[in-house]
């Protein structure tokens, strides 16, 4: 990526937490490192995770998550006003709703759409909301297939760019750091620590880990402590706690609130990721850099990383129970070759610098094509 000044407007509804927020924030950091101008239009007046990363005067607000026609009209108006008062070379929309609003604003600038979710509605009326702009980005091969088959987006408009993370933010913990965190999370000495890292949502399928633990003999079950990150002030938290209590395994779980990936993964022995729906799975990448073995569902992005993790069907209760049994009996030492492969491949393929460089090339091509009138 060269250092020619380019002004980028990132548009996202989800900047407070979750994979999309991490992705957008990571892009912003890399672009700023390269000398690009970065602004954000989002549903958070403070910029969510990007607060303090980009200047306050470059943070703009509108409410994309309210889908009624009046709010959509307000969003279109907000975009037109912003584009009239600020100069941008490219607009990057993260999500279908805001891409549609940008389309309705008829920007003179080219705009790009990234699809982060395969759980959006795909009936005829919702497909009419699709707006790929000048280019579309898929975060995995599975996402690309979904965009073609379910959203009707032409294959030649889509570029697959895998997610990336910043290795400098994922340095291994010192022994003192690890000890301090295990005390903070109330982890008794000698326990096997499993992490479920991400937001608390039924689609993340935390409950199957509770059911798998409940199916183990008591002496195996009690070897585990499961760290669950993610804000607790969400609709899915109370029902999950109730399920775990009914299963008799709540004592094995620690809800840590929003926790830095380095902290939760650094003091864990294994990452469990049983999600029902994923486009790529950022937590798996983070675990690769933290040298933590990954057991994940065979959802979006699994094909790209299947050689460096263990894959199970999201609803395979016996499979998840068998994995916990295996870890309780043997630990994770037999996974070390897989962990080493994962770390090497992550540095080759999944760095934030590499991801941002590929996105930047999509921008340049979109600008070139727009200028050429194609």
């Amino acid at each position: 990526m060269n250092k020619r000044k380019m002004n980028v407007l990132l548009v996202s509804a989800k900047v407070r937490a979750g994979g999309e927020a991490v992705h957008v924030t990571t892009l912003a950091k890399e672009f700023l490192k390269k000398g690009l101008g970065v602004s954000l239009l989002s549903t958070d007046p403070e910029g969510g995770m990007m607060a303090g990363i980009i200047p306050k005067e470059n943070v703009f607000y509108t409410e994309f998550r309210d889908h009624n026609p009046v709010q959509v009209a307000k969003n279109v108006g907000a975009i037109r006003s912003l584009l009239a008062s600020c100069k941008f070379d490219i607009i990057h929309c993260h999500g279908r709703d805001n891409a549609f609003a940008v389309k309705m604003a008829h920007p003179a600038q080219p705009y790009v759409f990234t699809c982060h979710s395969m759980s959006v509605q795909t009936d005829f009326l919702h497909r009419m909301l699709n707006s790929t702009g000048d280019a579309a980005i898929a975060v995995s091969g599975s996402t690309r297939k979904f965009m073609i088959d379910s959203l009707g987006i032409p294959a030649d408009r889509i570029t697959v760019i895998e997610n990336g993370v910043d290795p400098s933010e994922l340095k291994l913990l010192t022994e003192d750091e690890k000890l301090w965190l295990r005390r903070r999370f109330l982890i008794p000495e000698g326990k096997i620590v499993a992490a479920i890292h991400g937001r608390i949502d039924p689609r993340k399928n935390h409950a199957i880990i509770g059911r798998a633990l409940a199916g183990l003999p008591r002496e195996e079950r009690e070897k585990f402590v499961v760290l669950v990150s993610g804000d607790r002030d969400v609709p899915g938290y109370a029902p999950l706690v109730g399920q775990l209590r009914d299963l008799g395994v709540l004592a094995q779980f620690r809800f840590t609130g929003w926790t830095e990936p380095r902290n939760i993964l650094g003091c864990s022995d294994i990452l469990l990721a049983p999600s029902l729906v994923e486009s790529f799975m950022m937590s798996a990448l983070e675990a690769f850099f933290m040298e933590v073995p990954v057991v994940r569902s065979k959802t979006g992005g699994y094909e790209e990383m299947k050689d460096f993790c263990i894959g199970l069907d999201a609803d395979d209760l016996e499979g998840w129970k068998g994995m916990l049994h295996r870890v309780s009996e043997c630990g994770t030492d037999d996974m070390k070759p897989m962990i080493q492969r994962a770390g090497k491949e992550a540095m080759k393929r999944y760095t934030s610098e590499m991801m941002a460089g590929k996105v930047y090339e999509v921008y340049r091509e979109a600008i070139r094509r727009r200028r050429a009138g194609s």
Side-chain angles (χ1 to χ4, degrees):
M1 193 190 302
N2 69 37
K3 294 187 178 182
R4 184 185 69 80
K5 180 76 169 181
M6 179 189 290
N7 287 314
V8 180
L9 174 63
L10 300 173
V11 187
S12 174
K14 300 173 182 175
V15 293
R16 293 169 188 164
E20 182 179 319
V22 172
H23 175 96
V24 175
T25 304
T26 301
L27 271 184
K29 289 179 177 179
E30 289 296 331
F31 290 160
L32 289 168
K33 286 179 189 176
K34 300 300 181 182
L36 278 65
V38 180
S39 297
L40 172 71
L41 177 63
S42 78
T43 56
D44 190 317
E46 303 299 320
M49 289 180 66
M50 287 172 64
I53 294 172
I54 61 175
K56 278 189 175 182
E57 60 268 25
N58 290 358
V59 175
F60 306 96
Y61 166 79
T62 193
E63 187 50 76
F64 287 115
R65 291 172 299 179
D66 189 339
H67 299 154
N68 73 69
V70 173
Q71 184 60 51
V72 172
K74 288 181 179 179
N75 293 339
V76 172
I79 293 166
R80 285 177 177 164
S81 176
L82 176 58
L83 297 183
S85 61
C86 300
K87 178 176 173 55
F88 302 107
D89 297 295
I90 193 86
I91 304 167
H92 190 167
C93 306
H94 296 267
R96 180 165 66 178
D97 294 343
N98 54 59
F100 179 75
V102 168
K103 175 185 178 181
M104 296 300 291
H106 302 294
Q109 301 91 337
Y111 68 99
V112 174
F113 161 67
T114 291
C115 181
H116 289 279
S117 174
M118 293 193 288
S119 59
V120 298
Q121 292 172 292
T122 59
D123 58 83
F124 175 75
L125 288 176
H126 280 89
R127 280 170 65 146
M128 291 177 66
L129 299 177
N130 293 339
S131 177
T132 58
D134 296 78
I137 296 172
V139 296
S140 67
S142 298
T143 309
R144 180 180 184 273
K145 186 175 188 305
F146 169 78
M147 293 166 74
I148 296 168
D149 297 346
S150 300
L151 299 183
I153 296 172
D156 62 359
R157 302 290 292 277
I158 304 170
T159 301
V160 177
I161 300 177
E162 299 166 340
N163 280 325
V165 295
D166 185 352
S168 70
E169 297 181 356
L170 295 164
K171 300 296 185 185
L172 298 184
L173 298 183
T174 65
E175 286 303 314
D176 285 345
E177 287 177 312
K178 190 178 294 188
L179 179 62
W180 184 84
L181 283 164
R182 289 200 171 205
R183 286 174 177 167
R184 173 185 165 191
F185 296 141
L186 304 178
I187 301 169
E189 190 174 345
K191 295 291 185 179
I192 300 167
V193 183
I196 307 177
H197 179 47
R199 69 184 186 277
I200 298 173
D201 183 293
R203 290 172 294 184
K204 295 297 183 180
N205 203 25
H206 296 67
I208 201 167
I209 302 302
R211 292 165 59 200
L213 276 174
L216 295 178
R218 181 176 177 179
E219 61 272 16
E220 291 186 14
R221 179 170 68 243
E222 292 184 348
K223 291 181 181 180
F224 287 93
V225 168
V226 182
L227 300 180
V228 180
S229 68
D231 292 331
R232 283 168 279 194
D233 186 20
V234 293
Y237 173 71
L240 175 60
V241 169
Q243 286 176 289
L244 298 175
R245 183 181 292 112
D246 292 344
L247 289 165
V249 296
L250 185 57
Q252 268 67 57
F253 284 76
R254 308 283 189 274
F255 291 90
T256 66
W258 180 250
T259 308
E260 289 292 334
R262 180 175 181 263
N263 289 342
I264 189 169
L265 295 171
C267 64
S268 297
D269 300 299
I270 192 166
L271 173 70
L272 304 176
S275 182
L276 296 168
V277 180
E278 286 288 344
S279 297
F280 193 74
M281 195 173 287
M282 296 286 284
S283 61
L285 298 192
E286 293 162 344
F288 292 162
F289 283 102
M290 292 299 297
E291 299 182 6
V292 175
V294 175
V295 183
R296 58 158 292 176
S297 55
K298 297 179 182 179
T299 47
Y302 171 69
E303 286 300 313
E304 283 84 350
M305 59 180 76
K306 64 183 180 182
D307 293 331
F308 356 110
C309 66
I310 296 170
L312 296 170
D313 291 329
D315 59 355
D316 181 6
L317 178 59
E318 289 303 311
W320 290 101
K321 186 168 72 174
M323 179 54 59
L324 293 176
H325 168 72
R326 168 184 165 182
V327 173
S328 75
E329 292 293 298
C330 307
T332 59
D333 284 350
D334 62 334
M335 300 179 188
K336 284 183 178 178
M338 180 183 74
I339 297 169
Q340 292 169 350
R341 285 198 309 273
K344 289 178 182 177
E345 287 299 315
M347 285 303 299
K348 290 179 185 177
R349 293 170 52 179
Y350 300 133
T351 66
S352 53
E353 183 177 21
M354 185 172 296
M355 174 188 70
K358 292 176 181 178
V359 172
Y360 182 76
E361 290 305 315
V362 171
Y363 292 172
R364 290 184 63 187
E365 178 62 16
I367 292 170
R368 186 199 66 77
R369 291 178 61 186
R370 179 68 75 94
R371 288 173 177 168
S374 59

